[in-house]
Amino acid sequence: MQSVIYKRIPQCPADLLAEVAKYPVSDLHEALGPVEGRMQLMSSRMRPIAPGQRIAGQAVTSYNFPGDNLMIHAALNVAQRGQVLVLVNGGGAHGSLWGDVAATFAKQKGIAGIIVDGPARDVAALRELGSLTWSTSISSSHPEKRGPGAVNVPIVCDGVRVDPGDVIVADDDGALAIPLRSLERAVKGARERNRKEIELRDRLKTGSSLFELLQMDKNVQAAGAEIRDTLWIDG
């Protein structure tokens, strides 16, 4: 494998990037639709190292040979303020990809966050630093720094294809990779969902029924469910 490091990523409109940061992963996931939304949502294994974290920014991708993390350093070197590092090693649990020393430098550079499909370590120190890190595993295992690998090429992160420049949004609910071609649609859909949910919560606070507001009776009827005003034991 020929190692390669690309220094640039496609740029997206600043106004869309600013707005996407306002919405939760759940709304953006729903806005992408039932097919693309599932395709771009990382699994429940991808978790933040501390609660209450949230990031949004364009992806700088790093593919690392299993057990090696040379290319995370190359990615960190070319990444710019506000971007998100997406680090992968094929999902292996050995050879930590991310730790507190790299996180210290990332914070100094203004990196928005880190997504790790593989192990992170120095978790207590990362939390103390306020490093906005998501990972699929935790392990102290030693990483080599030999390569091969690549920076800013398409990768697969926790089952999701991530191209350089894709917009990564992550919070307590998980992590989502939004392709640039779908960003405007995701933002528009999340904006509308957010508006409707604000209205819905306001009506619930005044005593309205969620079942009635969502017209769940139609869904129940379509599902063919019988409603019986008896105890289950009475049939």
Side-chain angles (χ1 to χ4, degrees):
M1 174 182 178
Q2 174 63 53
S3 296
V4 61
I5 299 166
Y6 293 98
K7 297 180 68 174
R8 299 185 182 183
I9 63 173
Q11 296 301 302
C12 73
D15 58 336
L16 285 179
L17 195 56
E19 187 171 2
V20 78
K22 299 178 182 179
Y23 304 121
V25 166
S26 56
D27 281 354
L28 291 161
H29 160 67
E30 295 281 2
L32 284 174
V35 176
E36 191 173 25
R38 284 177 170 82
M39 289 173 62
Q40 299 306 128
L41 182 67
M42 295 178 197
S43 81
S44 58
R45 295 170 59 236
M46 185 67 74
R47 301 301 305 154
I49 61 164
Q53 298 187 159
R54 175 170 174 77
I55 59 172
Q58 288 192 266
V60 170
T61 65
S62 169
Y63 173 76
N64 299 266
F65 195 78
D68 192 280
N69 76 350
L70 175 62
M71 289 298 159
I72 75 108
H73 295 281
L76 183 53
N77 188 51
V78 303
Q80 303 296 313
R81 177 175 293 274
Q83 295 175 345
V84 173
L85 294 177
V86 183
L87 316 176
V88 305
N89 69 353
H94 298 288
S96 181
L97 285 173
W98 191 251
D100 63 335
V101 174
T104 299
F105 184 53
K107 189 170 184 177
Q108 289 299 115
K109 288 196 74 171
I111 302 303
I114 301 92
I115 301 290
V116 186
D117 185 11
R121 69 181 183 186
D122 308 319
V123 172
L126 292 178
R127 289 172 178 161
E128 186 174 350
L129 277 168
S131 177
L132 303 181
T133 302
W134 281 248
S135 73
T136 55
S137 64
I138 304 295
S139 174
S140 295
S141 60
H142 168 74
E144 299 295 335
K145 293 175 173 59
R146 301 173 181 172
V151 171
N152 281 331
V153 298
I155 59 173
V156 175
C157 180
D158 194 25
V160 173
R161 174 172 171 141
V162 180
D163 287 351
D166 284 356
V167 174
I168 305 297
V169 183
D171 57 23
D172 284 331
D173 288 340
L176 182 72
I178 306 174
L180 286 182
R181 67 179 183 277
S182 303
L183 182 60
E184 185 173 1
R185 176 166 55 86
V187 167
K188 182 179 179 181
R191 184 192 304 140
E192 181 63 15
R193 285 184 61 84
N194 186 257
R195 181 190 65 80
K196 289 181 178 179
E197 288 181 355
I198 290 173
E199 293 178 357
L200 188 61
R201 284 191 291 269
D202 286 344
R203 293 183 67 179
L204 291 173
K205 290 175 183 177
T206 63
S208 296
S209 161
L210 182 62
F211 192 87
E212 292 176 358
L213 288 177
L214 295 180
Q215 298 183 324
M216 285 293 105
D217 56 325
K218 295 180 180 179
N219 296 70
V220 169
Q221 185 178 12
E226 295 182 24
I227 299 176
R228 300 177 181 179
D229 191 16
T230 63
L231 299 175
W232 69 268
I233 198 169
D234 295 329

